[in-house]
Amino acid sequence: AAFAQTAESGTPVAFADLVALLERIFLRHGTSERVAAILSENCASCERDGSTSHGVFRIPGYVGSLKSGWVDGRAEPTVEEAGPAFLRVDAANGFAQPAFLAARGRFLEMVRDNGVAVMAIRNSHHFSALWPDVEPFAREGLVALSFVNSFACVVPPGGKAAVYGTNPMAFATPVAGADPMVFDQAASSMANGDVRIAAREGHVLPAGSGVDRDGKPTTDPKAVLDGGALLPFGGHKGGSIAFMIEVLAAALTGGKYSREVDWSAHPGAETPCTGQLFIVIDPERGGTGAFADRVAGLIGEVKEAGQDRMPGERRYARRARTLRDGIPLAPARLAELRALAGD
Ligand code: NDP
Ligand code: PYC
């Protein structure tokens, strides 16, 4: 589970009101109306679903990147067809989600026409969770995979220098009679955002999470952030996943490796400029005629075998609760957001 605790108490804010507040912040800091609308919906959705490490906690980081000139909040992405089932997208140093959405319509046509398609996005800033990108595909009957690399803050197994980003991957599949099964996880022991929340709140990290600046194991989040690094999850196996994601999201797309991200000339910048890859498949092409039923059956067996919940179920439960009762925000966080909006 996420290391950071999801707030369950605070001032309840309706989803639409949170989107509107975030939209004012983005517009005030120089984004286009389209970018403000997309990022506000995305970030508020993370907060609504309890993706705490990528909810409103990230807003000062978005603002820092915009104010420092590191990211272009008005970028116009370009979309290019590299084959009947391959889209190349240049986000033009803008945010990843508006670039993705600019290409999504054509991408869906390619998936329907060919049974599978790839979208390779470069020069893109992804500062959020990945599940908002893939869950809608599964709701449209498709299987989706996405990969993003970030900035060097993860050492390879046994290493001292950070080479990899926290490099998340997400997978979404339709399930007959139920919400899609979606997992969305970093290739590191935990997300960098969770380390920062732990440092802010004075928590120690679980053993095996990271190393200090000398490469020694530490549970101190400040030591991880101050010249140290996270470890991949699961030793060499997570290391290989982190490697694969650098290859798919950066080498293949033309985006920067996590190690190449250099924002030193932009103090306050926090959004890594790298790349993102999507692979989306129409499962009906498998010819079984019963794909979503088969997935539902497998989930039934997994639960019968003892797993108490599937990935995504916590988010869906929290979504239902916060849409009904409001999204709880700590008063200090709400005040910070209102100040950034100039209210
Ligand atoms: P978590 O470890 O919190 O969760 C990973 C996945 O496991 C989720 O799908 C979660 O589902 C599921 N899960 C957690 N606990 C259980 C359980 N007990 N049983 C079954 N499933 C479970 O994620 P991470 O900390 O690795 O990553 C957090 C977020 O950070 C992700 O959304 C990721 O995309 C984002 N991130 C973004 C980066 C970027 O560059 N943009 C970089 C790194 C991370 P559920 O959500 O329902 O709990
Ligand atoms: O939480 O590791 C993280 C992260 C990096 C970039 C965006 N989120």
Side-chain angles (χ1 to χ4, degrees), residues 1-2 54 126 128-130 150 166 168 183-186 309 312 314-315:
H54 291 83
H126 201 298
S128 183
L130 260 64
S150 60
T166 41
F183 75 74
D184 174 15
Q185 58 193 44
R309 73 154 172 108
R314 175 200 61 83
R315 282 193 306 101

Side-chain angles (χ1 to χ4, degrees), residues 53-54 58 126-128 150-151 153 166 190-194 270 272:
S53 63
H54 291 83
R58 292 294 185 177
H126 201 298
F127 202 46
S128 183
S150 60
F151 66 100
C153 59
T166 41
M190 59 199 302
N192 179 269
D194 276 336
E270 289 191 26

Side-chain angles (χ1 to χ4, degrees), residues 59-193:
I59 291 296
Y62 279 108
V63 168
S65 283
L66 286 161
K67 274 169 88 171
S68 70
W70 167 246
V71 65
D72 181 355
R74 314 183 76 84
E76 291 292 340
T78 53
V79 182
E80 181 192 356
E81 303 205 5
F86 202 124
L87 275 187
R88 277 202 291 255
V89 183
D90 184 347
N93 195 37
F95 291 104
Q97 295 84 358
F100 161 57
L101 291 175
R104 194 179 188 278
R106 179 66 190 121
F107 186 56
L108 269 180
E109 286 172 3
M110 286 179 158
V111 177
R112 298 289 183 205
D113 288 349
N114 299 287
V116 60
V118 170
M119 191 196 303
I121 307 177
R122 64 187 186 281
N123 298 330
S124 48
H125 296 243
H126 201 298
F127 202 46
S128 183
L130 260 64
W131 64 258
D133 300 345
V134 295
E135 184 188 314
F137 285 118
R139 294 196 182 278
E140 291 165 82
L142 303 168
V143 173
L145 285 155
S146 190
F147 310 89
V148 173
N149 66 314
S150 60
F151 66 100
C153 59
V154 177
V155 287
K160 284 188 186 159
V163 175
Y164 301 132
T166 41
N167 296 9
M169 65 176 164
F171 167 84
T173 178
V175 181
D179 284 317
M181 198 292 266
V182 180
F183 75 74
D184 174 15
Q185 58 193 44
S188 47
S189 58
M190 59 199 302
N192 179 269

Side-chain angles (χ1 to χ4, degrees), residues 32-321:
S32 65
E33 290 197 0
R34 177 173 179 272
V35 168
I38 290 169
L39 294 184
S40 305
E41 172 98 18
N42 180 286
C43 184
S45 299
C46 287
E47 194 66 34
R48 177 199 66 201
D49 277 23
S51 295
T52 313
S53 63
H54 291 83
V56 298
F57 157 72
R58 292 294 185 177
I59 291 296
Y62 279 108
V63 168
S65 283
L66 286 161
K67 274 169 88 171
S68 70
W70 167 246
V71 65
D72 181 355
R74 314 183 76 84
E76 291 292 340
T78 53
V79 182
E80 181 192 356
E81 303 205 5
F86 202 124
L87 275 187
R88 277 202 291 255
V89 183
D90 184 347
N93 195 37
F95 291 104
Q97 295 84 358
F100 161 57
L101 291 175
R104 194 179 188 278
R106 179 66 190 121
F107 186 56
L108 269 180
E109 286 172 3
M110 286 179 158
V111 177
R112 298 289 183 205
D113 288 349
N114 299 287
V116 60
V118 170
M119 191 196 303
I121 307 177
R122 64 187 186 281
N123 298 330
S124 48
H125 296 243
H126 201 298
F127 202 46
S128 183
L130 260 64
W131 64 258
D133 300 345
V134 295
E135 184 188 314
F137 285 118
R139 294 196 182 278
E140 291 165 82
L142 303 168
V143 173
L145 285 155
S146 190
F147 310 89
V148 173
N149 66 314
S150 60
F151 66 100
C153 59
V154 177
V155 287
K160 284 188 186 159
V163 175
Y164 301 132
T166 41
N167 296 9
M169 65 176 164
F171 167 84
T173 178
V175 181
D179 284 317
M181 198 292 266
V182 180
F183 75 74
D184 174 15
Q185 58 193 44
S188 47
S189 58
M190 59 199 302
N192 179 269
D194 276 336
V195 183
R196 295 182 47 194
I197 290 172
R200 183 185 73 190
E201 294 180 0
H203 297 141
V204 293
L205 306 180
S209 297
V211 293
D212 64 16
R213 58 171 55 245
D214 300 318
K216 298 212 179 73
T218 183
T219 57
D220 177 359
K222 291 187 176 144
V224 169
L225 295 172
D226 182 18
L230 286 166
L231 289 160
F233 77 86
H236 63 278
K237 298 185 184 182
S240 301
I241 301 278
F243 179 90
M244 176 189 77
I245 293 171
E246 294 289 336
V247 170
L248 293 178
L252 191 154
T253 64
K256 283 192 167 55
Y257 283 132
S258 298
R259 184 95 171 130
E260 293 170 332
V261 173
D262 179 8
W263 40 33
S264 55
H266 297 269
E270 289 191 26
T271 58
C273 182
T274 56
Q276 177 169 16
L277 190 88
F278 286 88
I279 303 170
V280 174
I281 305 168
D282 179 356
E284 290 309 320
R285 298 295 186 108
T288 68
F291 174 80
D293 291 315
R294 296 259 291 150
V295 178
L298 180 61
I299 290 174
E301 286 177 28
V302 167
K303 288 195 170 165
E304 208 171 306
Q307 181 163 333
D308 60 354
R309 73 154 172 108
M310 297 304 289
E313 289 180 4
R314 175 200 61 83
R315 282 193 306 101
Y316 295 139
R318 159 112 177 164
R319 184 183 300 176
R321 205 161 57 246

